[in-house]
């Protein structure tokens, strides 16, 4: 019992020591005259015991006026008189006269430099003469042709030209007899192996020096190939121009002829 009473006294003592909790509703619209009449009565109660001072008794000090600074102004500049200018409006006659004078001056300068007097443009100059060349045909001139020939004459001329027109019928291409000797183009088209492929047997007696000397005797590789074919080639190489046995003398290549035949 004693312990219980002591505990109650301790709780009461602690509650008395706690600070007062402020009103959380104050400041959010609950302290106005509508929501809280007590607060509205406090705000409308006039202050008592304190008299407000008058406006003149707030301060007796006077503010001195600001000093006035006088700025010396420059004398006004005299107004410049308005200049009156006269503008001459050129007329058509004056402009033509000016152009004529300038043209005359330019022609005079050109003649003084070249030594040849130019022709002046004036109505007194005759019209340029038109020279006709009799060697030039005037068949496209309808007036000139109409004076010399009639429609019947033109029809007779066309009939005569048509009678003289001859159509030559195409004939077959002549065949080569083969009596003229070997042909490098026909040989290139008759073969299909590339250069360097051994097709014919060689004895191997022709060295590099003999091969170069033999090819140097001909003006071109095509001439060497033709001579090679005329002397028993490609089976026999009597000239020493085909040591590898491919059937092509020196540096002659049949590939361009084959390509041309395919195109």
């Amino acid at each position: 019992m004693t312990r219980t009473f002591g505990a109650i006294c301790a709780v009461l003592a602690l509650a008395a020591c706690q600070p007062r909790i402020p009103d959380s509703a104050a400041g959010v619209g609950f302290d106005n005259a509508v929501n809280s009449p007590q607060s509205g009565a406090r705000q409308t109660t006039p202050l008592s015991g304190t008299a407000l001072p008058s406006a003149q008794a707030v301060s007796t000090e006077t503010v001195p006026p600001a000093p006035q600074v006088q700025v010396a102004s420059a004398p006004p500049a005299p107004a410049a008189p308005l200049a009156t200018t006269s503008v001459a409006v050129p007329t058509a006659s004056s402009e033509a006269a000016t152009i004529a004078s300038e043209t005359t001056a330019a022609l005079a300068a050109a003649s003084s430099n070249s030594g040849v007097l130019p022709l002046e443009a004036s109505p007194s100059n005759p019209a340029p003469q038109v020279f006709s060349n009799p060697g030039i045909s005037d068949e496209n001139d309808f007036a000139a042709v109409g004076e010399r020939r009639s429609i019947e004459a033109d029809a007779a001329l066309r009939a005569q030209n048509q009678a003289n027109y001859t159509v030559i019928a195409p004939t077959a291409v002549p065949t080569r007899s083969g009596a003229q000797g070997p042909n490098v183009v026909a040989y290139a088209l008759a073969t299909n192996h590339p250069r360097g492929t051994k097709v014919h047997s060689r004895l191997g007696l022709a060295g590099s020096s003999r091969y170069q000397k033999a090819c140097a005797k001909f003006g071109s590789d095509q001439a060497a190939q033709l001579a090679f074919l005329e002397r028993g080639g490609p089976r026999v190489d009597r000239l020493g121009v085909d040591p590898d046995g491919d059937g092509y003398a020196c540096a002659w290549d049949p590939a361009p002829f084959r390509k041309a035949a395919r195109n």
Side-chain angles (χ1 to χ4, degrees), residues 138-154:
D138 58 351
E139 291 294 329
N140 294 329
D141 189 355
F142 182 80
V145 175
E147 293 177 357
R148 296 191 304 266
R149 295 197 305 264
S150 62
I151 298 177
E152 292 77 8
D154 287 342

Side-chain angles (χ1 to χ4, degrees), residues 51-67:
L52 295 177
S54 61
Q56 292 76 11
V58 173
S59 176
T60 57
E61 297 179 0
T62 58
V63 179

Side-chain angles (χ1 to χ4, degrees), residues 20-258:
R20 183 177 178 274
I21 298 175
D23 188 3
S24 59
V28 292
F30 292 96
D31 55 349
N32 51 29
V34 177
N35 298 328
S36 180
Q38 297 82 2
S39 176
R42 291 195 302 269
Q43 293 179 3
T44 56
T45 303
L47 297 177
S48 60
T50 304
L52 295 177
S54 61
Q56 292 76 11
V58 173
S59 176
T60 57
E61 297 179 0
T62 58
V63 179
Q68 297 181 359
V69 179
Q70 295 182 358
V71 179
S73 60
L82 296 178
T84 58
T85 57
S86 60
V87 179
V89 179
T91 60
S93 59
S94 62
E95 186 176 359
T98 304
I99 295 175
S101 61
E102 292 178 355
T103 305
T104 304
L107 294 175
S111 62
S112 61
N113 294 333
S114 60
V116 179
L117 294 177
L119 296 177
E120 296 182 357
S122 63
S124 61
N125 289 335
Q129 299 181 4
V130 178
F131 296 94
S132 61
N133 190 351
I136 300 177
S137 176
D138 58 351
E139 291 294 329
N140 294 329
D141 189 355
F142 182 80
V145 175
E147 293 177 357
R148 296 191 304 266
R149 295 197 305 264
S150 62
I151 298 177
E152 292 77 8
D154 287 342
L157 182 59
R158 289 196 302 270
Q160 182 181 356
N161 293 335
Q162 187 175 2
N164 296 332
Y165 184 77
T166 304
V167 178
I168 300 176
T171 58
V173 178
T175 58
R176 188 181 298 274
S177 61
Q180 293 84 1
N183 187 282
V184 294
V185 178
Y187 177 74
L189 300 179
T191 57
N192 54 12
H193 61 279
R195 294 181 69 253
T197 303
K198 186 175 182 179
V199 179
H200 307 281
S201 61
R202 298 289 183 255
L203 298 177
L205 300 177
S208 175
S209 59
R210 182 190 174 189
Y211 168 73
Q212 294 177 358
K213 291 179 181 179
C215 291
K217 296 178 182 179
F218 301 96
S220 62
D221 297 329
Q222 184 170 344
Q225 180 67 22
L226 181 59
F228 170 64
L229 296 177
E230 292 175 346
R231 297 293 299 273
R235 291 182 299 140
V236 181
D237 183 19
R238 294 187 177 93
L239 301 177
V241 293
D242 183 25
D244 57 355
D246 60 354
Y248 310 136
C250 300
W252 184 77
D253 189 3
F257 300 98
R258 299 169 184 169

